[in-house]
Amino acid sequence: MPKQLSLSNRRRVLVHGGAGGRRATAAQRKCIAETLALGIELLQNDQSALDAVETMIRHLEESGHFNAGVGSRQQLDGRQRMDAALMEGAFLRAGAVAGLEDICHPISAARIVMEKTDHVLVISSHASKLALHFGLERLEKSTKSPIQHRAPVFRTRNAKTLALYRKMAAYETVGAVALDECGTLATGASTGGVSMMLPGRVGDSPLVGAGVYADNEAGAVSMTGLGEGIIRLAMAKHIVCAMKNGQKPLPATRHALKLLVNRVQGEAGCLVLAPDGQFAIRHVTPWMIAGHWNGRGKPFVADQFR
Ligand code: ASP
């Protein structure tokens, strides 16, 4: 049994840039490593796990290397609509936005919902208005992302082609979890959604219990993958419940992913962090770009976790 880590030893951050059928680029790997360094630096300067998660996800959103913020893919009508959520495990506070347009940092919009309103989830133009009211930066239409997500609408009319297109695509959503020195866990996710989605489709990422969950008494989870299956199994809460019942992150994660595949033919990956610093990164897709760091040695980044 691994030893219980002392308080100051258990600071840790985990970050992912999505799971899917494509290997990560060198630029994405570099960005994940930078993000881990950013998160650990904040925790070492006594900032909270929530601050670390928000800042790390902001960095990924503005990089344009992922399907979030500036790099968000388009829905079938050609518009970017983004989803994001943030949750902390001490008081189970959460905030989320869905169908957000024209805002650079959806994760900060989620934090505004959590801290400045009595609500948990605000949608579409109302979420954008709220974000602008609190001074968030507008996403300029001309902002160029180094990744091109435009769906080839007219070439994907039949199911086989669509399935192939999905298989070849990487989801490239971003997520992070963190544990600070006070023992507080936090989680977040931010996404432009999945390829070939109908306008108005919302995935798991902004749904507390599906895409994200954090509870200091059990663990923190951030999911990525095809949102529909993740929602149907309330994956994040499912994993946290298993940990509350005494399971370690790895068996809890393996079991939940197996269930996802067997019950709903889902595909996903996740970051899972326990209050004692133990963690798991696992996926049932061919690839998942992710990393972890506790501030000692070098950040660890890989695109497969088996
Ligand atoms: N889970 C996200 C969604 O379904 C996509 C992803 O994780 O890449 O919207």
Side-chain angles (χ1 to χ4, degrees):
M1 280 270 280
K3 273 198 301 199
Q4 175 91 9
L5 296 167
S6 79
L7 266 186
S8 57
N9 276 344
R10 61 183 182 179
R11 282 189 203 115
R12 190 178 288 275
V13 292
L14 275 61
V15 169
H16 77 77
R22 237 183 9 228
R23 284 199 85 155
T25 62
Q28 287 174 326
R29 295 172 71 99
K30 185 166 169 271
C31 190
I32 292 288
E34 282 166 12
T35 306
L36 290 164
L38 198 62
I40 279 294
E41 192 186 325
L42 289 175
L43 294 183
Q44 285 170 342
N45 288 325
D46 295 326
Q47 304 239 52
S48 68
L50 195 66
D51 290 334
V53 166
E54 184 191 1
T55 304
M56 290 190 291
I57 291 182
R58 282 179 66 96
H59 185 68
L60 296 166
E61 286 173 340
E62 70 200 18
S63 74
H65 290 302
F66 299 94
N67 170 27
V70 170
S72 292
R73 67 167 49 93
Q74 297 164 350
Q75 297 192 324
L76 282 173
D77 61 357
R79 304 281 291 264
Q80 289 171 313
R81 294 186 184 86
M82 299 163 280
D83 302 334
L86 197 67
M87 182 169 187
E88 62 81 34
F91 301 99
L92 307 183
R93 290 181 307 154
V97 288
L100 182 73
E101 291 187 42
D102 304 332
I103 298 293
C104 279
H105 292 296
I107 197 67
S108 296
R111 188 155 183 180
I112 286 168
V113 172
M114 180 176 114
E115 290 181 342
K116 310 280 189 204
T117 79
D118 298 317
H119 312 308
V120 169
L121 175 59
V122 177
I123 63 164
S124 65
S125 57
H126 307 288
S128 308
K129 269 188 220 151
L130 186 68
L132 291 172
H133 175 80
F134 283 100
L136 289 196
E137 196 184 334
R138 196 185 280 275
L139 180 59
E140 295 306 332
K141 296 269 182 291
S142 58
T143 309
K144 281 264 186 295
S145 161
I147 47 174
Q148 189 47 270
H149 289 303
R150 182 176 261 286
V153 179
F154 301 107
R155 278 181 280 129
T156 53
R157 284 218 173 109
N158 65 51
K160 248 197 231 162
T161 315
L162 178 55
L164 178 66
Y165 178 75
R166 276 218 163 122
K167 241 197 173 78
M168 288 162 59
Y171 293 123
E172 289 172 329
T173 281
V174 304
V177 295
L179 173 62
D180 63 29
E181 198 172 337
C182 304
T184 286
L185 287 160
T187 180
S190 179
T191 187
V194 294
S195 54
M196 308 297 293
M197 64 191 150
L198 286 173
R201 178 262 186 195
V202 173
D204 60 298
S205 308
L207 303 183
V208 171
V212 293
Y213 204 77
D215 180 350
N216 281 6
E217 293 175 13
V221 175
S222 180
M223 299 295 307
T224 181
L226 203 47
E228 282 69 10
I230 297 172
I231 294 170
R232 285 160 70 195
L233 282 173
M235 285 288 283
K237 177 75 175 173
H238 184 97
I239 296 172
V240 169
C241 281
M243 290 163 69
K244 203 158 201 160
N245 290 333
Q247 284 195 36
K248 298 283 180 212
L250 195 54
T253 303
R254 277 204 183 120
H255 182 262
L257 288 173
K258 205 164 159 188
L259 196 68
L260 180 80
V261 172
N262 293 342
R263 290 299 303 275
V264 299
Q265 292 77 51
E267 40 191 284
C270 54
L271 307 175
V272 180
L273 183 56
D276 65 0
Q278 293 187 54
F279 67 97
I281 303 177
R282 278 291 182 278
H283 51 104
V284 287
T285 49
W287 306 99
M288 176 169 170
I289 170 76
H292 57 88
W293 202 26
N294 62 0
R296 291 188 287 279
K298 281 192 179 150
F300 179 88
V301 178
D303 51 19
Q304 257 182 348
F305 295 80
R306 297 281 186 223

